Amino acid sequence: MIVVLNARFETKVRVECQQNTTIKELKEKAKMETGTPVEKMKIRKWWTTLDDDKTLRYYRIGDGDGLDLYTYN
């Protein structure tokens, strides 16, 4: 399945993953696309920051769903 991460400046990162992929694994895959270190990323769904140890299935994220990717210093 594909998850779309909406980053700053209208950038969209498409990441191939599975339902049992953790949020930390999702960040690691996004790192390969963006170059941003994992520890400087936050992934949010609506107003909720997603925990690294939870899976996409836990958050009911499916194929084609979009999440917000925030980076900070």
Side-chain angles (χ1 to χ4, degrees):
M1 74 179 199
I2 301 288
V3 174
V4 180
L5 299 175
N6 300 309
R8 297 181 336 175
F9 307 115
E10 303 297 322
T11 304
K12 293 186 183 218
V13 178
R14 288 169 172 76
V15 180
E16 178 77 31
C17 49
Q18 302 295 323
Q19 283 285 312
N20 60 350
T21 300
T22 65
I23 300 304
K24 185 170 185 174
E25 292 169 339
L26 182 62
K27 288 180 181 178
E28 289 169 357
K29 291 180 181 191
K31 176 186 175 185
M32 295 177 1
E33 296 285 329
T34 64
T36 303
V38 171
E39 55 275 355
K40 295 190 179 249
M41 291 182 189
K42 285 186 182 178
I43 296 180
R44 297 183 77 184
K45 180 179 180 183
W46 298 301
W47 296 277
T48 303
T49 300
L50 308 184
D51 294 326
D52 285 347
D53 60 335
K54 305 286 189 202
T55 64
L56 297 176
R57 178 177 287 132
Y58 176 85
Y59 287 112
R60 296 184 179 155
I61 298 167
D63 188 33
D65 285 351
L67 302 172
D68 295 317
L69 174 63
Y70 293 92
T71 57
Y72 58 94
N73 295 333

